[in-house]
Amino acid sequence: MEPRIPERFRERYLPVVDDPDAFLACLGELTPKSFRVNTLKSSVAEVQARFAGYGIGIRQTGWCPEAFVSDVPELGGTLEHFLGSIYLQELASMLPPVLVRKELETARLVLDACAAPGSKTTQMAAIMRNKGMIVANDIDYSRIRALKFNMEKTGTINTIITNQNLLHFPAQLQFDAVLLDAPCSGEGTIRKTDSVLQEWSERVIEGHSHRQKQLIVKAFDLLAPGGVMVYSTCTLAPEENEGVVDTLLRERKDARLENVSVPGFRLSPAIMEWDGAQFSEEVSKVARVWPHHNNTDGFFLAMVRK
Amino acid sequence: MRRRITDSQYKAGKEAPAPSAADVLLYLEERFGLERALFSDYGLYATSKGRIYIGPKRLVNHPRIATVGLLIARSQGAIKPSTNLLQLFGRQVKKNYVVLGRENAATFIGGTDVKVTSGEKGDASDGYVLVRYLDFSLGCGMLHGSDVRNMLPKAKRLKIAYI
């Protein structure tokens, strides 16, 4: 059943999505239950064997060996969940660390700029095998408790938590990799979060866009020369995605985009023109995730090199 | 509710006072057979509240560090190892562990104290112990005779459906 989607939402996206019927139908279905094997505590083979023993069907994704979809919703009641050997996480939300897996494997200093509740922080720590250091920052102190809990549950050691407005972050810190998973209007999470549509408006989108443009420039400034930044959101709004990346390219001439590619996962091209504005040709290197293509949340990814 | 650790309680690049960190390492080695080398890639950090954290070897210079790494022990009076520590390094624990059967393990994960047989208790002596199920490290318990008091943090306790 389709959720009650505002007319203006339809007007914005149905003309730019490849299959409007599939898109709308998908928004009315819950996302499948998915999880990531936490290799700080277990191995893919061990978790597969345990789930086979339970009789729970799980399917490994073709684009991330640690990512699985499950037939059974009660993953939270498994021993593996208790132990922190698996981490319940929506598939699209696993993409940013996967995109820079090679860089993370050798990175010494990494910034997760808007880290709470820590899904991507703990995923990056696993890729880094608890080596190097992650600075996991969040402006909202009330969300740091969840971040801390997830770090402890997953056995994440190589991370410190900071509680600061990113815009005030010490300029002398220079990171090998930065993840800016920016606060956003969350349109991509409609499938699991009813409140997104209730609170949806273009005014909300504009507010997020304004802030995201400040954050992306600051996050880029914290990147060491040669470093890589991933900018991601869980929204479909071009004002919060392509428009934000376009602003960075105009404000920082040393910012270079790299093609976003995750072999085995279907990514879609950027929206290059929106609301009368034409984005830089370079913006074509970013990628969108439409929910109906991979049966996930909607998502956006850009990879920036300094 | 966990108290906020103020910024001044961490000093960038400065490890915990040697006696405190050393005490914890000595305890973990003597009680559980956890060798110091396991922790040599990391730094140990103490707060004024007697909590010991394991984290990156060196910290960055940042004015608003809220917390570092993983809480491994509290050391007010006696040292108490954390469940998080025992879960992460449990496979390296060589002594003072109990091995529960399936039913007892589910009960323990749910937050209840359990009784152990002499076979489940093995050579463990009274005091803090690692509680295992098969070769999985469930967390910390306090052994007294044949009773294992549940030391799992409340937030971690779980009604388990698949074990």
Side-chain angles (χ1 to χ4, degrees):
Chain A
M1 195 179 88
E2 283 181 26
R4 291 187 180 197
I5 295 174
E7 193 54 37
R8 183 64 190 131
F9 184 96
R10 292 170 186 265
E11 290 170 2
R12 283 168 59 91
Y13 299 121
L14 297 193
V16 294
V17 68
D18 62 335
D19 186 341
D21 291 338
F23 172 63
L24 289 173
C26 182
L27 296 185
E29 298 167 2
L30 290 172
T31 49
K33 294 293 175 186
S34 55
F35 67 87
R36 165 175 63 79
V37 174
N38 173 25
T39 52
L40 292 177
K41 286 204 163 178
S42 188
S43 68
V44 168
E46 183 177 48
V47 169
Q48 283 177 311
R50 293 285 302 169
F51 275 67
Y54 298 147
I56 296 178
I58 56 173
R59 295 184 303 284
Q60 193 172 29
T61 65
W63 49 272
C64 175
E66 297 89 12
F68 286 84
V69 175
S70 168
D71 298 333
V72 174
E74 303 96 29
L75 294 171
T78 60
L79 176 65
E80 284 60 39
H81 176 66
F82 167 77
L83 294 171
S85 301
I86 64 169
Y87 186 96
L88 308 187
Q89 188 173 350
E90 206 283 321
L91 290 174
S93 135
M94 300 181 201
L95 290 169
V98 169
L99 190 60
V100 285
R101 184 188 287 265
K102 279 188 180 169
E103 284 84 356
L104 290 173
E105 283 171 353
T106 54
R108 287 175 301 173
L109 190 57
V110 174
L111 172 65
D112 189 350
C114 307
S119 303
K120 299 172 192 74
T121 310
T122 54
Q123 186 181 359
M124 292 195 294
I127 292 172
M128 295 168 74
R129 300 182 306 282
N130 257 338
K131 308 293 184 194
M133 188 195 324
I134 300 173
V135 177
N137 181 68
D138 207 280
I139 189 173
D140 185 349
Y141 187 75
S142 67
R143 285 163 54 85
I144 280 181
R145 196 171 180 200
L147 172 58
K148 174 74 178 153
F149 179 83
N150 285 325
M151 275 174 53
E152 293 195 333
K153 181 162 187 167
T154 53
T156 297
I157 296 176
N158 70 337
T159 300
I160 67 168
I161 297 175
T162 58
N163 174 214
Q164 190 175 37
N165 183 340
L166 184 71
L167 301 179
H168 302 149
F169 227 70
Q172 76 275 11
L173 290 176
Q174 296 280 281
F175 294 87
D176 301 322
V178 173
L179 168 61
L180 176 57
D181 186 47
C184 69
S185 57
E187 289 174 338
T189 65
I190 286 171
R191 299 178 67 183
K192 62 172 181 282
T193 314
D194 294 341
S195 61
V196 171
L197 280 179
Q198 290 160 15
E199 293 160 11
W200 185 88
S201 76
E202 287 182 304
R203 193 171 172 182
V204 169
I205 290 172
E206 281 306 322
H208 281 297
S209 176
H210 175 72
R211 180 148 188 82
Q212 288 153 351
K213 288 171 181 172
Q214 295 176 314
L215 291 174
I216 198 172
V217 172
K218 174 66 181 185
F220 181 77
D221 289 345
L222 292 170
L223 205 54
V228 66
M229 172 170 73
V230 174
Y231 174 78
S232 61
T233 71
C234 56
T235 190
L236 306 172
E239 299 95 322
E240 300 182 64
N241 295 328
E242 288 90 345
V244 173
V245 174
D246 191 66
T247 296
L248 173 68
L249 294 175
R250 279 190 278 106
E251 297 206 3
R252 293 293 182 267
K253 297 304 176 194
D254 51 343
R256 298 278 178 271
L257 293 189
E258 298 198 349
N259 284 311
V260 171
S261 169
V262 179
F265 192 95
R266 182 176 172 186
L267 298 169
S268 296
I271 291 172
M272 295 300 291
E273 187 181 351
W274 187 257
D275 203 19
Q278 183 81 34
F279 300 130
S280 156
E281 188 57 34
E282 182 86 348
V283 172
S284 64
K285 294 176 178 174
V286 306
R288 305 187 135 248
V289 176
W290 292 100
H292 56 294
H293 287 171
N294 304 274
N295 197 14
T296 62
D297 280 345
F299 214 74
F300 175 86
L301 292 159
M303 190 168 165
V304 187
R305 185 76 66 173
K306 193 174 202 174
Chain B
M1 185 175 149
R2 171 167 287 172
R3 281 174 58 88
R4 179 176 177 179
I5 296 161
T6 59
D7 307 331
S8 61
Q9 288 174 284
Y10 290 107
K11 300 291 182 193
K14 184 180 176 186
E15 293 195 12
S20 178
D23 284 351
V24 169
L25 289 179
L26 184 63
Y27 170 81
L28 294 176
E29 190 164 23
E30 288 185 346
R31 178 75 188 164
F32 296 106
L34 288 170
E35 295 167 10
R36 287 161 189 256
L38 283 171
F39 310 106
S40 60
D41 287 343
Y42 302 103
L44 291 175
Y45 303 91
T47 72
S48 58
K49 300 289 182 187
R51 292 176 173 179
I52 310 293
Y53 289 78
I54 185 170
K57 193 89 175 168
R58 276 176 284 280
L59 303 183
V60 293
N61 192 6
H62 190 285
R64 291 181 62 88
I65 295 178
T67 192
V68 172
L70 195 78
L71 175 70
I72 60 167
R74 291 181 173 84
S75 64
Q76 279 182 319
I79 295 170
K80 177 194 173 297
S82 74
T83 278
N84 294 313
L85 168 86
L86 293 177
Q87 281 192 348
L88 191 58
F89 294 100
R91 286 183 181 175
Q92 283 81 40
V93 165
K94 298 184 183 73
K95 54 186 177 179
N96 286 309
Y97 57 86
V98 299
V99 185
L100 303 183
R102 190 169 179 275
E103 201 170 310
N104 243 356
T107 303
F108 184 81
I109 291 168
T112 306
D113 300 344
V114 293
K115 281 193 178 296
V116 286
T117 64
S118 58
E120 292 170 328
K121 181 177 164 181
D123 297 329
S125 61
D126 284 359
Y128 290 117
V129 291
L130 165 65
V131 178
R132 279 181 175 154
Y133 164 65
L134 302 175
D135 62 346
F136 300 108
S137 302
L138 303 183
C140 182
M142 167 65 89
L143 180 68
H144 184 71
S146 61
D147 296 320
V148 179
R149 193 170 148 210
N150 200 307
M151 305 303 286
L152 292 179
K154 287 193 175 77
K156 286 183 83 82
R157 296 173 184 182
L158 189 68
K159 186 177 180 185
I160 202 120
Y162 297 94
I163 184 169

